[in-house]
Amino acid sequence: MLLIRLILGYLLFFLSALSAADESSFAACARGLGDKAVAAGVDAALVRGVVAELAPLERVIALDRKQPEFVQTFAKYLETRVTAARVREGQRLMTEHRDFLQRLLAEYGVPPRYLLAFWGLETNYGSYLGKIPTLNALATLACDPRRSSFFAEEFVDALRLAQRESLPPMALQGSWAGAVGHTQFMPSSYLRHAVDGDGDGQIDLWRSERDALASGANFLRNLGWRLGERWGRQVQLPAAFPYELTGLHERKSLGFWSAQGVTRADGGPLPDVPLQGSILLPAGHRGPAFLIYENFRVAMRWNQSQSYALSVGLLADQLVGMPSLNARRMAGDTLAKADLEIAQTTLNKLGYDAGKPDGILGSQTRSALRAFQKDNALPADAYPDATTLAALKAHALP
């Protein structure tokens, strides 16, 4: 009994010392962030007050490690974001804001359906703006080694934003990653792209829908939005399609894709227009196929996720009455983290560079999968379906 008490005592002492070390490390990091802000021109007194109140948020680190864009299947991601209820509410709001949205179209060249789609994906049209303290979230991520430089800059920009707009810094709230307002702008985007849409002399993305919509339009224009072009479309691929030609990096003319047997989803021919496009298979060759254009890439500059950009495009289409996605054969697809980690480890051992085994289907892992599939006479769709996983597990056996 005495031995157990001694062990528990040492364990509690160790955990207490570890916690104190973590707090000391965060405090030192926070002071460094404050120094960066002062050097960037933020008022020193404002910075001192903020740094004194900063606290790390463990939940933020946990959320950073399981972002839905990278751990959910495309089917699961889509079914929770492009819903009938979201389509109906978006259509209602598009009618409510019709005149203002037409002014934004004339000024910025972004059609209303896309602005509503981004708004709907980001905050469900403002129904949930996030309640996590922005500066604490940014400081937590800035003091974490994974993307410290990026979030350190966002932390400084958040303070610059608070100073410019006369906002109480520690009252700023938003997502776990520091995005704020109806359109979930990061502080750097707020500073550079947000505009006063309601003409009251202040830019408030939390309380002004017009500020948020105008800022979204300005942001998309600055990212390179092309007026008169779609985001892309669902297509049909022929049985003998060369899947190694799929992926964002394979840009071909619509004439080229037509010659490969690609048609619209309804079987009709692709439009005869001078556009370049890429074929994406977010659920592998057994799932739906998409031909995406430049505006899809613009959407990915807003959020670097193919599932997100596809959801924006599909929601925008349904807002103007276009048919919903034909999602046959997607429901059974799974992306188990453990299976992906095994696949990544095996790919690395076989000489296909899949990066760090983290269970996330990123671009590096997709490239490695495609190379493995080509070398093993499998459909080179860069997707870890059951057949590909079985082939990898067979290679992993001793």
Side-chain angles (χ1 to χ4, degrees):
M1 191 69 177
L2 178 61
L3 179 60
I4 293 175
R5 287 177 180 174
L6 286 172
I7 292 173
L8 288 174
Y10 281 122
L11 182 59
L12 289 172
F13 174 79
F14 174 75
L15 292 174
S16 176
L18 186 61
S19 176
D22 289 343
E23 290 178 7
S24 176
S25 175
F26 179 81
C29 177
R31 288 192 295 272
L33 293 173
D35 292 341
K36 290 179 183 290
V38 172
V42 182
D43 179 74
L46 183 150
V47 171
R48 283 195 301 272
V50 166
V51 169
E53 295 187 48
L54 288 175
L57 302 175
E58 292 183 10
R59 179 175 172 235
V60 165
I61 299 299
L63 290 169
D64 179 59
R65 301 300 192 263
K66 58 177 183 179
Q67 297 177 51
E69 289 86 354
F70 302 109
V71 299
Q72 286 184 346
T73 63
F74 175 61
K76 186 67 175 177
Y77 187 92
L78 192 68
E79 74 178 23
T80 59
R81 288 162 179 81
V82 184
T83 64
R86 188 162 289 175
V87 171
R88 288 193 299 272
E89 179 64 5
Q91 290 172 334
R92 185 190 71 78
L93 288 166
M94 196 152 53
T95 299
E96 178 182 321
H97 293 283
R98 178 184 288 114
D99 292 343
F100 182 67
L101 290 167
Q102 288 302 314
R103 282 166 45 196
L104 296 181
L105 172 61
E107 183 172 356
Y108 298 102
V110 181
R113 66 182 182 275
Y114 292 107
L115 293 178
L116 268 294
F118 279 102
W119 188 15
L121 263 289
E122 290 294 347
T123 61
N124 196 28
Y125 311 112
S127 66
Y128 185 72
L129 304 184
K131 296 182 179 180
I132 295 178
T134 299
L135 289 168
N136 283 334
L138 291 172
T140 298
L141 292 165
C143 295
D144 177 67
R146 198 170 85 84
R147 290 188 290 167
S148 59
S149 296
F150 171 79
F151 285 106
E153 292 180 6
E154 292 295 338
F155 177 86
V156 172
D157 281 344
L159 286 177
R160 293 173 59 206
L161 172 64
Q163 181 171 273
R164 188 187 77 177
E165 299 296 327
S166 300
L167 300 169
M170 296 308 292
L172 303 184
Q173 292 185 340
S175 77
W176 64 265
V180 299
H182 281 264
T183 44
Q184 291 292 278
F185 274 20
M186 293 299 289
S188 58
S189 297
Y190 201 134
L191 280 172
R192 295 170 179 80
H193 304 290
V195 294
D196 180 9
D198 57 17
D200 68 352
Q202 186 180 31
I203 305 172
D204 188 338
L205 299 188
W206 287 272
R207 286 169 285 275
S208 172
E209 293 181 353
R210 290 197 167 196
D211 282 1
L213 288 168
S215 297
N218 187 50
F219 189 27
L220 287 169
R221 180 183 65 176
N222 293 342
L223 291 175
W225 190 269
R226 294 185 178 183
L227 179 62
E229 294 183 13
R230 296 180 52 156
W231 66 273
R233 63 174 72 241
Q234 186 178 7
V235 293
Q236 289 189 35
L237 305 182
F241 184 79
Y243 294 109
E244 62 270 17
L245 293 179
T246 61
L248 281 173
H249 300 297
E250 291 287 346
R251 299 192 196 199
K252 307 291 183 183
S253 69
L254 267 61
F256 174 88
W257 293 124
S258 292
Q260 297 297 319
V262 179
T263 67
R264 294 184 321 211
D266 61 5
L270 296 177
D272 183 16
V273 291
L275 287 178
Q276 297 274 315
S278 302
I279 301 291
L280 297 186
L281 303 173
H285 68 283
R286 293 188 176 90
F290 300 94
L291 176 60
I292 59 95
Y293 308 137
E294 187 59 31
N295 281 339
F296 177 91
R297 299 175 191 276
V298 172
M300 284 193 65
R301 294 179 197 127
W302 183 306
N303 181 316
Q304 296 179 356
S305 160
Q306 292 185 25
S307 293
Y308 176 90
L310 286 167
S311 297
V312 166
L314 292 167
L315 178 56
D317 285 351
Q318 291 187 47
L319 290 176
V320 292
M322 297 179 67
S324 60
L325 170 69
N326 177 1
R328 62 188 177 85
R329 296 182 297 182
M330 280 207 306
D333 289 342
T334 59
L335 285 178
K337 188 173 187 291
D339 284 340
L340 281 172
E341 288 176 348
I342 292 171
Q344 290 167 324
T345 300
T346 306
L347 287 166
N348 287 333
K349 287 181 178 178
L350 295 174
Y352 303 96
D353 185 7
K356 179 182 177 182
D358 56 7
I360 295 174
L361 186 59
S363 59
Q364 190 171 0
T365 298
R366 286 181 181 273
S367 295
L369 280 167
R370 192 188 305 280
F372 172 82
Q373 289 167 329
K374 288 175 66 176
D375 290 345
N376 289 271
L378 297 168
D381 59 7
Y383 190 80
D385 63 6
T387 303
T388 297
L389 288 174
L392 281 167
K393 288 178 179 178
H395 280 80
L397 293 174

